[in-house]
Amino acid sequence: MHIHKFEKIWLVFGIATLVFFLTVVGVSAFYLGNQPPSCLATVDVEKVDTQEPFNKPGLTKVEGKEWDYQLVYVASAFSYNPMKVEVPLGAKVKVIATTKDVIHGFEVAGTNINMMLEPGYVSEFTTTFDKPGEFLVVCNEYCGTGHHLMYSTIEVIE
Ligand code: CUA
């Protein structure tokens, strides 16, 4: 079969373009898009409850760190553990969270805390609670029928 010279050029050009775009899509999907920036550490989904620090959800005072407390959460459909915590006003807190099942959100309304919790990954966010009052932790990733029921509260006390 004889292919005209120009047809051949365009065919090669078309294939090259296709390969180029597939590479771009592939690279961004597998190397950049798969992991949210705050999820660098991993955790065994099957054993979340027995692994540090998720075996002790809640607020714990820490020593020798740049933050005063760690606040650990384990999310699952459709709740957070703990349901409620009290944090002293002005405390610098490292929030450490993960999920036992599907993707959940972790947004603290009225603050800049907003994380995505992915199975197998640890999400972290360090912040200072400098406003007193009650703050609602809500799930902002659709996770199933109980999605809208999923919440927890953080009370910042003086
Ligand atoms: Cu959990 Cu939506």
Side-chain angles (χ1 to χ4, degrees):
M1 194 178 80
H2 177 77
I3 301 177
H4 192 273
K5 196 181 165 198
F6 285 112
E7 271 179 22
K8 207 169 165 183
I9 290 169
W10 281 110
L11 195 66
V12 169
F13 178 75
I15 291 169
T17 312
L18 186 68
V19 168
F20 174 74
F21 279 108
L22 285 178
T23 309
V24 169
V25 169
V27 166
S28 32
F30 290 104
Y31 293 100
L32 304 171
N34 248 0
Q35 229 173 7
S38 61
C39 298
L40 297 174
T42 56
V43 63
D44 187 341
V45 186
E46 305 293 317
K47 300 177 193 144
V48 167
D49 290 327
T50 56
Q51 278 177 91
E52 291 261 358
F54 302 107
N55 53 350
K56 252 173 62 186
L59 191 73
T60 313
K61 185 105 176 77
V62 293
E63 303 291 339
K65 299 263 167 99
E66 280 172 45
W67 48 93
D68 311 313
Y69 294 89
Q70 68 176 33
L71 178 50
V72 176
Y73 281 95
V74 177
S76 57
F78 301 98
S79 64
Y80 295 99
N81 182 13
M83 282 282 292
K84 186 180 174 144
V85 285
E86 287 184 353
V87 176
L89 182 67
K92 193 171 181 188
V93 177
K94 184 177 195 174
V95 180
I96 306 169
T98 194
T99 164
K100 290 209 283 191
D101 40 47
V102 295
I103 290 177
H104 294 286
F106 189 99
E107 182 180 356
V108 186
T111 74
N112 59 348
I113 305 173
N114 191 354
M115 304 190 288
M116 190 180 168
L117 312 182
E118 278 197 279
Y121 289 98
V122 179
S123 299
E124 298 178 341
F125 196 101
T126 307
T127 190
T128 303
F129 288 92
D130 48 16
K131 271 188 291 183
E134 204 167 79
F135 296 88
L136 207 58
V137 179
V138 292
C139 181
N140 57 8
E141 296 284 338
Y142 184 74
C143 52
T145 51
H147 164 71
H148 61 288
L149 301 170
M150 202 167 156
Y151 76 97
S152 175
T153 48
I154 296 175
E155 200 179 349
V156 181
I157 48 169
E158 291 190 67

